Amino acid sequence: MDGALLNPPDSIDRNGIAIGLTAYVLWGVLPLYLVWISEVPALEVLAHRILWAVPFGAIILTVRKQWGEVRVAFTHRLVFAVFLAAALMIAINWLLYIYAVQSAQVFQASLGYYINPLIFVVVGLLFFGEDLRLLQRLAVLLA
């Protein structure tokens, strides 16, 4: 394997950090935007999010040359059904988030996003027999 893949240059690390920080800032500003457009019904905001995601997703698929994978997903019923169920769950999640922010429930929505991963840790421990390493246990305790 190429040594450059195992030890990427520092610039790649800095780019990743910058991209991550940008994502967190945008996520933090999103509620302000949703409040600003609160006159627009939550379902319409969600519809625009879906509508505008399609062409941008198509551009990404084209650049990455992944249309073949999309074709496979559309031709296998089980894969398509799983993707459709996931898309429906994401849409419901976003609709509830948009509605919560627009109805001045930002704290409650944020708390839900904070608690959700912790609940999945508990589910993994109780129902799937997963075990946490020491640092993972510490992270859960700190959370």
Side-chain angles (χ1 to χ4, degrees):
M1 185 179 272
D2 185 19
L5 292 176
L6 295 176
N7 299 312
D10 288 338
S11 64
I12 293 175
D13 292 339
R14 283 192 297 273
N15 287 342
I17 291 171
I19 291 168
L21 288 174
T22 301
Y24 278 112
V25 167
L26 289 173
W27 183 251
V29 172
L30 179 65
L32 297 173
Y33 173 71
L34 293 175
V35 168
W36 184 51
I37 62 166
S38 61
E39 295 297 318
V40 180
L43 194 56
E44 188 175 338
V45 174
L46 176 65
H48 275 281
R49 181 173 165 77
I50 293 168
L51 179 72
W52 289 104
V54 171
F56 283 104
I59 290 169
I60 292 169
L61 289 170
T62 301
V63 168
R64 295 184 65 169
K65 299 177 180 158
Q66 292 181 310
W67 282 106
E69 296 172 36
V70 173
R71 192 175 312 107
V72 169
F74 274 98
T75 57
H76 288 82
R77 284 183 172 218
L78 181 60
V79 172
F80 183 75
V82 169
F83 283 166
L84 190 62
L88 183 62
M89 292 296 153
I90 291 169
I92 291 169
N93 177 280
W94 267 98
L95 181 62
L96 289 173
Y97 181 74
I98 294 165
Y99 177 77
V101 170
Q102 289 185 341
S103 62
Q105 304 289 323
V106 177
F107 179 77
Q108 291 87 337
S110 298
L111 188 60
Y113 274 100
Y114 179 77
I115 291 174
N116 189 38
L118 298 174
I119 291 172
F120 280 110
V121 168
V122 171
V123 168
L125 291 171
L126 295 178
F127 296 104
F128 297 111
E130 294 192 18
D131 192 27
L132 298 177
R133 295 185 301 267
L134 180 62
L135 288 177
Q136 291 172 323
R137 289 179 189 177
L138 181 61
V140 170
L141 282 174
L142 287 173

